[in-house]
């Protein structure tokens, strides 16, 4: 009756989320939440909207100078967000 190979709770939860179709939405939410930490509080003050569609993070920036700075740091920001999430959720960032 008892299993000889107990499974780790992380593995069980990961399998459950994957089978339920909840893993991707959870990762997307984590990526959006990670933006504030990765970009910093100063940049977050000038961001109005954030959403992800087709692995592209869209961010509405109210300051043109900040938008240009963020465009220059795009690759670094993508890598940091994906590291925080633990998966390649973001492939590009578009600032508008």
């Amino acid at each position: 009756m008892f299993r000889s190979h107990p499974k780790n709770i992380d593995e069980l939860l990961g399998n459950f989320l994957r089978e339920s179709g909840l893993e991707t939405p959870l990762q997307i939410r984590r990526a959006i939440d990670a933006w504030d930490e990765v970009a910093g509080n100063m940049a977050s003050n000038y961001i109005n909207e954030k959403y992800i569609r087709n692995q592209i993070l869209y961010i509405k920036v109210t300051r043109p100078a900040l938008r240009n700075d963020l465009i220059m740091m795009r690759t670094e920001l993508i890598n940091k967000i994906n590291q925080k999430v633990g998966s390649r959720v973001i492939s590009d960032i578009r600032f508008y």
Side-chain angles (χ1 to χ4, degrees):
M1 286 263 200
F2 291 103
R3 292 184 180 198
S4 60
H5 303 290
K7 292 188 177 184
N8 190 351
I9 190 73
D10 291 339
E11 182 182 341
L12 291 172
L13 278 175
N15 289 339
F16 172 75
L17 290 173
R18 206 169 298 112
E19 290 171 5
S20 301
L22 298 173
E23 184 178 37
T24 302
L26 182 62
Q27 288 177 340
I28 288 172
R29 183 74 242 166
R30 286 179 181 160
I32 290 173
D33 291 342
W35 169 260
D36 293 333
E37 187 176 337
V38 169
N41 291 333
M42 182 65 175
S44 296
N45 291 335
Y46 300 107
I47 304 296
N48 284 345
E49 298 176 19
K50 301 176 280 193
Y51 64 92
I52 296 175
R53 184 171 293 141
N54 296 331
Q55 291 189 321
I56 299 173
L57 175 61
Y58 293 91
I59 298 178
K60 184 174 184 179
V61 183
T62 59
R63 303 282 176 156
L66 178 61
R67 183 181 308 123
N68 289 337
D69 289 343
L70 292 173
I71 288 171
M72 302 275 287
M73 298 173 24
R74 177 181 291 162
T75 305
E76 181 182 343
L77 292 169
I78 291 169
N79 291 336
K80 285 183 178 181
I81 290 172
N82 286 332
Q83 284 178 349
K84 288 267 183 213
V85 175
S87 178
R88 185 168 160 75
V89 177
I90 304 296
S91 63
D92 193 14
I93 301 177
R94 303 236 174 107
F95 302 98
Y96 65 99

